[in-house]
Amino acid sequence: MPRMSESRENTIVTAARLLQRQGYAATGLTQILEESGAPKGSFYFHFPGGKEQLGAEAVALAGSEMNAIIGAVLARHADPAKAVVALGKTWSSWLAGSDYTEGCPITTVALEQSSQSSILRQACAVVFGSWHRQLRDHFVAAGHAPVRAGALARLVLCSFEGAFVIARSERSTASFSETARLLAEVVAVGV
Amino acid sequence: MPRMSESRENTIVTAARLLQRQGYAATGLTQILEESGAPKGSFYFHFPGGKEQLGAEAVALAGSEMNAIIGAVLARHADPAKAVVALGKTWSSWLAGSDYTEGCPITTVALEQSSQSSILRQACAVVFGSWHRQLRDHFVAAGHAPVRAGALARLVLCSFEGAFVIARSERSTASFSETARLLAEVVAVGV
Amino acid sequence: MPRMSESRENTIVTAARLLQRQGYAATGLTQILEESGAPKGSFYFHFPGGKEQLGAEAVALAGSEMNAIIGAVLARHADPAKAVVALGKTWSSWLAGSDYTEGCPITTVALEQSSQSSILRQACAVVFGSWHRQLRDHFVAAGHAPVRAGALARLVLCSFEGAFVIARSERSTASFSETARLLAEVVAVGV
Amino acid sequence: MPRMSESRENTIVTAARLLQRQGYAATGLTQILEESGAPKGSFYFHFPGGKEQLGAEAVALAGSEMNAIIGAVLARHADPAKAVVALGKTWSSWLAGSDYTEGCPITTVALEQSSQSSILRQACAVVFGSWHRQLRDHFVAAGHAPVRAGALARLVLCSFEGAFVIARSERSTASFSETARLLAEVVAVGV
DNA sequence: ACTATCGGGACCTCCCGTTGTT
DNA sequence: AACAACGGGAGGTCCCGATAGT
């Protein structure tokens, strides 16, 4: 990662937080700049690609932060079943702790923009891919065959993505707890 | 459902289609009105609650249409495992057929607006609830214990929701096929 | 006055009240109709001249109501000095009692519209003329020479009009009390 | 007063002129921008508080211009009686010269908005206060006792305010001439 | 790398008046 | 007299991007 000015970094961090809560279209450049305290005049110097570039960098940042968190949880639970339950608990307590305002940091952007901006769509796809790879590698390390591990990782990823959506809508963590319990059965190693 | 004018109905149908592709914030009232051919002057006559009310009605419409489709698929497959696979095929062929522009009709709205409009959040929650209930009842009818049927229905719902997100982002139906195959294992009745 | 339907009358009364507080431009036809409970469909049957006609009739109504009040106060105080003080007290207690929202019922319309609608301008002029005449006749009856009585009536009218403006703006009745006391000196009969 | 761009200044000047003739609600931002030649895109840069802020600044500008005029007239007439007559002549010739379109520059706004915008209400109250203070100080300098000078200033202010209203409505300067003559009697010093 | 502007268009909302029908 | 629906435009606000100057 290249060294970057504080203004530039602040802008990306603020953008990531706002995109998570409001999505891309509903988040104005003005709001991002105001909340980040970054000056308006140099925005297009830092981000020649405009709002779209900022969005893509914010998605990448949020994706790598989440990657770190997934990695930390997996590191504490070699057993896939326990790891899956731990992930569910981590995310559901986040969600409830933010009064259901902070779900998956990139899903909203992914959905809104996958038909409108290929830059943002690809940025999201890269992030999803990195999360998937991490889960798959963990399952392989735990003894699953590579192909099955890939499918299991995908199921886990999809389920939790969906759980975020429904949990926010229902304002309830039931989706996470029920989903995690069943996922634990599926990803268990051996018979 | 009350009788309603053609204009009003057209507006809702068009809104539902656009919300599915672009989300709420990115869809302008002007665009909806133009594409639906509905007159501008009577919009607030038909929808005193403005864009929010229209959004809520569009969500409800999309939800009930999807409900009918789920019902039709389930009616053709009494076996939960086969039903789940059929659902996955239905949706993944939709998605690919629309060049990955038409995913779940309400997820985007649910995510964008669950922290901003309680009217839209609730409209989405009602729809998710109706889909869940239908799946659960099918699993109960197939022999699952009610509590487990509920959890299975939730897992299926969350997984497919997430599969829609990731499939659109990756422009690939892999999420659907891999997810559906594993879900079929979990929802299978007996051993 | 011709017999008129209840709807029609309600509309005028409601319009008069709203014009007093908000003025003509800021008061929407929709608001008038909603608050009066009158049906929208027959508005242009009752008022072929539209909003302008309604405004003119509301001005006339408010004017004649005020005329009655002026008449009542004058009837209790033959002495012009006492009459003027009593008028000041009446109006200042109205104003304070409505939390400074209800001043002279027609001044706002008169000012906004005197350069825009000659119908409304004239309606207001007629009302001002009727108030002036009543004051002048009272002063004549109290012994003032007709010409001087006319000038005194005009001074009183202008002063109280201005007092309404400034009192609303300052949210204070000081304008009324100070003005009335000095006016009482001027209109006193004899030497 | 801070240095300001020409666009910003033009906007305020134009707004002041239009508010004087049409009032606040009847004057559209579009009209102000068009007539002032100011660019639309930077309006919210110059006036973050929107139309309300512009209105308040226009009121303040009009108020201080009027203050200068009052000051000039008073400076030419040490005798209160003569000063009052001169003020009446100044204003009535203005009014007639503009074909009764330009009265007191802030009264209309004061009336319309005193129940709707406390920002505008206060801006008007400040202006009225400054006018009153100037008249009162002049009367004190001419020999009136301070308390009486304050009351006289108020009477003069209210009377001329009211004269503006009625003169515009009647399209006649009679209110000014008759009112000024009587006011001159009241404010005369000594016996 | 930042300031102060500008450009032009889109946002949702609401306006007043007018249909045709009952 | 009242209904449901329409027509077209204007309301104030805010958008993202660009510019000239320093």
Side-chain angles (χ1 to χ4, degrees), chain B residues 18 45 72 106 139 143 185:
Chain B
L18 290 171
F45 170 78
I106 70 165
F139 292 162
E185 292 181 18

Side-chain angles (χ1 to χ4, degrees), chain D residues 27-30 44 50-51:
Chain D
T27 302
L29 229 27
T30 309
Y44 283 88
K51 190 188 183 186

Side-chain angles (χ1 to χ4, degrees), chain A residues 1 59-76 87 90-91 94 105 127 130-132 134-135:
Chain A
M1 243 177 269
V59 164
L61 173 68
S64 74
E65 284 177 354
M66 183 67 99
N67 239 337
I69 286 154
I70 296 174
V73 171
L74 295 183
R76 280 199 300 274
L87 281 172
T90 301
W91 286 327
W94 273 17
V127 168
S130 72
W131 297 348
H132 174 260
Q134 202 176 180
L135 286 169

